[in-house]
């Protein structure tokens, strides 16, 4: 797997922090950010940065992964309701036992993969159980 530094640089806004679009008309939040509100169709939206804190609604252990990410197996993936409202599916990190539903989680920056040919490291957000 090859990591492209320019591609990572262009995607840094979504890789390193949670951003959503918030409709100025109805207040709906869309994640990932969109130019239009998915609820009312308004183009009056603004991009907001989310806190990265939320509640774990459900977690499952994943034994399959795409090429280049096999070293992280098995991996827990969770359905998370963020404090600002949106629900997302995201990888969990620093998990030793099966996470409990209702646990508080927070977004943390973690290593995703390493390019074996040139040693470049790709980082991104994962969620850690805090309570």
């Amino acid at each position: 797997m090859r990591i492209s530094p320019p591609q990572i640089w262009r995607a840094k806004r979504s890789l390193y922090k949670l951003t959503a679009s918030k409709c100025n008309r109805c207040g709906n939040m869309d994640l990932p950010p969109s130019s239009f509100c998915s609820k009312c169709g308004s183009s009056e939206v603004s991009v907001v940065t989310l806190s990265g804190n939320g509640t774990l609604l459900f977690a499952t252990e994943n034994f399959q992964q795409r090429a280049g990410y096999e070293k992280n197996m098995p991996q827990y993936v969770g359905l998370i309701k963020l404090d600002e409202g949106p629900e997302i599916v995201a990888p969990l990190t620093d998990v030793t036992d099966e996470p409990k539903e209702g646990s508080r989680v927070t977004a943390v920056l973690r290593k995703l993969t390493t390019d074996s040919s040139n040693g470049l490291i790709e980082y991104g957000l994962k969620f850690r159980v805090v309570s």
Side-chain angles (χ1 to χ4, degrees):
M1 177 173 167
R2 302 235 0 133
I3 295 174
S4 167
Q7 186 176 15
I8 299 297
W9 178 257
R10 286 189 295 270
K12 69 180 178 187
R13 179 196 252 169
S14 63
L15 287 175
Y16 303 141
K17 60 182 169 181
L18 286 171
T19 56
S21 56
K22 183 174 183 178
C23 180
N24 298 332
R25 195 175 280 176
C26 72
N28 180 53
M29 291 186 115
D30 287 316
L31 190 93
S34 174
S35 300
F36 296 93
C37 176
S38 64
K39 189 173 181 182
C40 72
S42 172
S43 62
E44 298 174 24
V45 296
S46 54
V47 176
V48 295
T49 301
L50 305 178
S51 68
N53 297 318
T55 303
L56 183 65
L57 300 178
F58 179 78
T60 187
E61 194 170 8
N62 181 15
F63 290 96
Q64 295 181 337
Q65 192 58 275
R66 63 184 184 193
Y69 294 84
E70 297 90 353
K71 291 181 181 179
N72 300 333
M73 299 312 300
Q75 179 184 42
Y76 281 97
V77 177
L79 174 61
I80 299 162
K81 181 165 181 66
L82 298 172
D83 290 347
E84 293 84 1
E87 292 180 3
I88 62 169
V89 175
L92 303 176
T93 188
D94 305 335
V95 177
T96 54
D97 297 327
E98 186 168 342
K100 294 182 175 75
E101 296 175 10
S103 299
R104 294 290 296 163
V105 294
T106 189
V108 291
L109 192 64
R110 290 290 191 263
K111 177 176 156 181
L112 298 179
T113 190
T114 303
D115 187 335
S116 59
S117 63
N118 58 20
L120 292 174
I121 300 171
E122 180 182 357
Y123 293 93
L125 291 178
K126 293 185 178 185
F127 282 80
R128 179 173 45 96
V129 176
V130 290
S131 66

